[in-house]
Amino acid sequence: MKDYFTSVCGKPGEAGALACAGFRETAVTNESKALFAQATLDFGAISPVLDRLRLTAGYRYTWDKIDGSTISYTPAIYSGTGADNVRCLFDGGTVSRGNVGNLVSSGADRGCRYEGHLKSKAPNWTIGLDYRPIDNLLIYAKVTRGYKAGGFNAFAVNSIYAQFGPEFVTDWEAGFKSDFKIVGRPVRLNVNGFNMDYSKIQRGLADFNPTTNQQGAATLSTAAARISGVEVEAMFKPFDVLEIGGNYSYTDAKYKSFTYQSATAVWDCHSTAANGYLKTMNPDLTCIPLQYMAPNIFSIYGRLALPTSEDVGDISLFVSYAWSDKRHQSGPALEKFVDGSATWEPGSDLAAYGLLSASLDWKKALGTDLDVSLFGTNLLNKKYAISNSGVYNAIGNQTQIFGEPRMYGIRLRYSFGN
């Protein structure tokens, strides 16, 4: 895959535009090969005593090869006067335009091209047991090992970030799925608990090169974390016309370690007012919460079927409310320094929010194959942020993305044939 990018700026006159016009050409090749197999053993085939007990195991071995290169320089356009030289954005070196395609390490004929080459391989596997003591109850437990390949960083502006390594996770899960009745009314209850050992975590952050005064992006693969929690799904129909239910998840996520070598001095978990907000080239970010992990998330709903004759169709009212706790968004920074004395990365903590939605659904309208739905989302018109750029300290810019406001609409669906 190849990608080309040219930028210009708003400096006055042609000379100003030419001075900062930049060019970037990126080429990345990904090659992945794998062998895999999976099998399930029903122990009932061995002994009737072990009926309904099953063992499932799977194994996959993956080989990944990634090659990438980037040519980036400024100015992208030649004014027609003077020496036709360009400045490499990667390290600030000045080279002849005719040599830009050469490697930055090519000596006297050096260019503006940097490369990244990465080979990685790892097993992925899963093994689990499930048991169905009665028809409406399934109990299970499993362990899974996962692997994600590293990559080439096409937007690096420092050589140490040209590529990043693979990440790994081992996940333990156990739970049950059940359907039963209370006073003759149907109930569904599913519960799942998990614990994940996450290592070499790939985390993105903004990059800056003080020599070239250029901004870029980097991906790290140095952190380790533990993520555990529980998920619950429930449904109850107290009457034939009414269904109520919901989902709940609790997540406890903490870094076990998050240190890396930085190309420039940055703040970390030890920067406080007492030491003058000391910066370091070897930051420790272990105190930072994992990104996008809300401790508590839940949703509840109710669906009421309205009494109608068959020739009118099926009409029901659906109402739901969804909640998400406060969550942290910035990978390498906190909202405030650990001593709370000053702002570190504004907008890092996204506030909790709840959304109320509803719909009136009419299926088989007037006995036809037409379904009609009147809906409204975010009925209380809650203003809530779903993302923050998290690069204020790197490039002096902060951007937030907000969720959708209150919306109303109508959906029509027609089924053709059987």
Side-chain angles (χ1 to χ4, degrees):
M1 180 190 73
K2 279 196 173 185
D3 177 66
Y4 301 89
F5 177 78
T6 301
S7 62
V8 295
C9 70
K11 288 187 176 181
E14 179 184 6
L18 292 175
C20 68
F23 174 82
R24 183 188 303 272
E25 174 187 337
T26 300
V28 180
T29 301
N30 295 280
E31 180 181 297
S32 183
K33 300 178 181 179
L35 295 173
F36 64 92
Q38 182 167 310
T40 298
L41 172 63
D42 189 336
F43 287 97
I46 300 174
S47 171
V49 178
L50 301 176
D51 191 29
R52 298 192 173 195
L53 177 64
R54 301 190 310 168
L55 171 68
T56 299
Y59 186 86
R60 174 189 177 102
Y61 202 92
T62 305
W63 296 264
D64 288 297
K65 180 182 178 184
I66 300 169
D67 298 293
S69 66
T70 291
I71 302 171
S72 58
Y73 57 88
T74 185
I77 307 169
Y78 177 47
S79 64
T81 60
D84 187 11
N85 293 329
V86 300
R87 187 176 189 231
C88 302
L89 299 184
F90 188 60
D91 65 352
T94 299
V95 305
S96 169
R97 186 182 299 272
N99 291 337
V100 293
N102 296 340
L103 285 170
V104 294
S105 58
S106 297
D109 294 327
R110 63 150 291 175
C112 294
R113 186 175 99 248
Y114 72 89
E115 296 182 344
H117 304 280
L118 181 69
K119 288 184 178 181
S120 59
K121 58 184 179 179
N124 297 265
W125 49 264
T126 182
I127 183 168
L129 284 169
D130 63 80
Y131 178 56
R132 193 179 292 275
I134 57 177
D135 289 342
N136 297 327
L137 175 63
L138 175 69
I139 304 171
Y140 64 89
K142 66 177 182 177
V143 182
T144 302
R145 173 71 168 178
Y147 148 85
K148 180 181 178 182
F152 171 70
N153 185 10
F155 296 94
V157 291
N158 286 287
S159 59
I160 62 174
Y161 300 136
Q163 62 189 40
F164 55 93
E167 64 179 9
F168 305 88
V169 64
T170 303
D171 175 37
W172 293 265
E173 290 187 38
F176 66 86
K177 297 181 179 182
S178 63
D179 290 285
F180 54 95
K181 291 186 177 182
I182 295 180
V183 293
R185 304 308 305 173
V187 177
R188 173 169 296 159
L189 179 62
N190 300 331
V191 178
N192 179 66
F194 62 90
N195 185 79
M196 302 170 62
D197 186 7
Y198 203 178
S199 62
K200 303 294 182 181
I201 304 172
Q202 295 171 2
R203 281 287 181 261
L205 74 160
D207 189 18
F208 178 74
N209 188 318
T211 301
T212 64
N213 217 26
Q214 292 297 315
Q215 302 160 358
T219 300
L220 307 174
S221 56
T222 60
R226 187 264 307 152
I227 306 172
S228 58
V230 63
E231 300 169 333
V232 180
E233 177 188 4
M235 182 278 296
F236 177 49
K237 292 191 73 171
F239 310 102
D240 289 342
V241 297
L242 178 62
E243 177 183 320
I244 56 177
N247 298 275
Y248 171 76
S249 69
Y250 171 75
T251 304
D252 179 29
K254 288 183 173 62
Y255 282 116
K256 295 190 292 184
S257 65
F258 189 180
T259 59
Y260 71 100
Q261 179 185 355
S262 177
T264 57
V266 296
W267 289 313
D268 73 348
C269 293
H270 304 291
S271 303
T272 63
N275 58 29
Y277 305 109
L278 184 68
K279 291 187 175 183
T280 176
M281 301 285 286
N282 297 285
D284 179 359
L285 303 180
T286 307
C287 67
I288 295 175
L290 268 71
Q291 289 174 282
Y292 310 114
M293 294 287 185
N296 295 282
I297 299 175
F298 74 83
S299 65
I300 54 175
Y301 73 88
R303 182 183 295 277
L304 177 65
L306 304 181
T308 57
S309 60
E310 186 175 345
D311 58 338
V312 173
D314 300 324
I315 301 177
S316 63
L317 175 64
F318 181 83
V319 180
S320 67
Y321 182 80
W323 170 269
S324 177
D325 269 358
K326 180 178 76 171
R327 63 213 181 282
H328 187 73
Q329 194 274 333
S330 176
L334 294 169
E335 178 85 19
K336 292 182 176 293
F337 290 100
V338 290
D339 60 357
S341 58
T343 297
W344 181 352
E345 183 67 54
S348 293
D349 292 333
L350 303 180
Y353 64 91
L355 301 177
L356 177 67
S357 301
S359 66
L360 183 63
D361 303 311
W362 187 9
K363 295 185 177 181
K364 299 291 183 180
L366 299 177
T368 68
D369 292 322
L370 177 66
D371 296 341
V372 182
S373 178
L374 300 174
F375 69 89
T377 58
N378 191 7
L379 293 176
L380 301 180
N381 205 26
K382 176 72 174 180
K383 182 180 179 181
Y384 61 103
I386 58 175
S387 181
N388 182 71
S389 58
V391 294
Y392 181 82
N393 285 289
I395 64 176
N397 174 274
Q398 181 193 1
T399 303
Q400 280 197 322
I401 299 175
F402 289 86
E404 295 176 340
R406 179 194 295 128
M407 295 196 304
Y408 300 100
I410 181 171
R411 296 189 185 96
L412 301 177
R413 176 181 177 183
Y414 190 86
S415 300
F416 296 91
N418 295 325

